[in-house]
Amino acid sequence: MAADVAVPALSSEEAAEVLAQPTPIAAFWAAFRENRGAVFGLVVISAIALIAIFADFLAPHSPIEQFRDAVRAPPIWDAGGTWRYALGTDGDGHDTLSRLIYGARVSLFIGLSVMSVSFVVGVVLGLLAASVGSLVDVVITRVMDLIMAVPSLVMAILVVAVLGPSLANTIVAVTIVYLPRYVRLVRASALGELTKDYVTAARVAGVGPLRMMVATVLPNCLAPLIVQAALGVSDAILEAAGLGFLGLGAQAPTPEWGTMLADSREFIRSDPWIVALPGLAILVAVVAINLTGDGLRDALDPRMRRS
């Protein structure tokens, strides 16, 4: 009978030290909040998200209702402004505040939709390129290179010109434009992970190719993907706003910030607030998302953490 192996007991100080170690979530939050700009961006984007979710209760009017008796009404800080239209009305008599509130819902929906589809498709194509074989890798890589060879806005305009201008086609166009970022990132990360010892050990243990890529390799590629996904939301919002400004994005009367800019550009001299307010909304949302993305990068990459 084998002798029992004595396991040294931990002292009270050692046990307290083990119990005091933070959980992964607590450690992530501690690293994230070191970046005050990232915390500020998270607060702002959370507020915008809440405004978008509760737009039906916060908006004083319907975003498509027209007030013919108050066309281009000034905001409250201008002479003649009233609290009924706190931020004034546009050239068609729509309440600007209501359209900005509902526009947050549309713009965030575009950004999150593009990010989600690009993330999923990019992960699939990137893992295929890294694991299946050289022919598949060459085909996928060259297609992504072809997409990236065309300027993003030009590619988006080309796709919308083929499919037709609409909100759904805007999402498709922007997804195609930003898909190569995810594919190339996943492919590069997966190729780097495949050379490591834990992957070799998993192969020796008999792990299948599909499980190897999905359950073993992919979790170790998620950190840069999460950062790219966060920053990709702001890029998608900007790209969709650009298409909307050109009249190729969401069509009136959909309250999308880029479309609001396009509809009001003729009043930039006479009534500048009509143009400035949706532009300011885009600026605030994009800056907040970028600040949050920078904080995620710092928290997920130990090399970027502040000393």
Side-chain angles (χ1 to χ4, degrees):
M1 181 175 180
D4 294 337
V5 178
V7 178
L10 295 176
S11 65
S12 59
E13 294 181 356
E14 291 173 338
E17 184 179 353
V18 171
L19 293 175
Q21 291 181 353
T23 63
I25 295 178
F28 167 79
W29 174 248
F32 181 83
R33 69 183 181 184
E34 290 180 3
N35 189 330
R36 295 184 179 180
V39 175
F40 175 75
L42 180 62
V43 171
V44 172
I45 199 60
S46 298
I48 295 175
L50 290 174
I51 289 173
I53 293 171
F54 297 104
D56 296 332
F57 305 99
L58 296 176
H61 305 284
S62 168
I64 61 175
E65 183 178 2
Q66 293 178 286
F67 300 94
R68 295 297 186 182
D69 58 336
V71 175
R72 294 162 61 188
I76 54 174
W77 61 81
D78 201 4
T82 64
W83 282 103
R84 184 185 181 191
Y85 312 109
L87 298 183
T89 60
D90 61 15
D92 295 324
H94 300 113
D95 179 57
T96 301
L97 176 60
S98 300
R99 289 181 67 79
L100 286 175
I101 291 174
Y102 277 93
R105 176 182 292 181
V106 176
S107 294
L108 286 181
F109 173 74
I110 292 173
L112 292 174
S113 298
V114 169
M115 181 271 291
S116 301
V117 177
S118 299
F119 187 96
V120 173
V121 178
V123 165
V124 173
L125 293 179
L127 291 180
L128 284 175
S131 62
V132 172
S134 58
L135 178 59
V136 175
D137 185 16
V138 169
V139 171
I140 293 177
T141 303
R142 294 299 168 260
V143 172
M144 297 302 112
D145 290 343
L146 180 62
I147 295 174
M148 295 186 68
V150 182
S152 60
L153 185 57
V154 175
M155 175 62 73
I157 291 174
L158 176 62
V159 175
V160 172
V162 173
L163 300 178
S166 69
L167 179 60
N169 292 340
T170 297
I171 295 175
V172 173
V174 180
T175 299
I176 293 174
V177 167
Y178 289 110
L179 180 60
R181 299 185 181 185
Y182 296 88
V183 175
R184 292 169 68 91
L185 182 59
V186 174
R187 175 183 176 275
S189 299
L191 288 175
E193 295 296 324
L194 286 173
T195 61
K196 295 185 177 179
D197 293 339
Y198 76 91
V199 175
T200 303
R203 287 194 179 119
V204 172
V207 177
L210 179 60
R211 184 180 176 186
M212 169 79 69
M213 299 307 296
V214 175
T216 305
V217 174
L218 180 58
N220 293 283
C221 305
L222 286 180
L225 272 176
I226 292 173
V227 176
Q228 178 59 52
L231 299 176
V233 175
S234 63
D235 292 337
I237 291 175
L238 277 177
E239 199 76 28
L243 289 175
F245 184 77
L246 296 174
L248 299 173
Q251 300 299 295
T254 303
E256 194 268 327
W257 290 337
T259 303
M260 292 174 65
L261 279 173
D263 293 341
S264 58
R265 58 191 171 192
E266 59 184 295
F267 308 118
I268 192 169
R269 292 184 178 274
S270 59
D271 304 297
W273 68 83
I274 304 179
V275 182
L277 290 173
L280 183 62
I282 295 172
L283 173 65
V284 170
V286 170
V287 170
I289 294 172
N290 286 341
L291 288 175
T292 305
D294 289 340
L296 286 174
R297 180 198 60 197
D298 295 347
L300 292 173
D301 189 349
R303 295 170 297 179
M304 300 295 297
R305 293 184 183 178
R306 303 183 179 186
S307 57

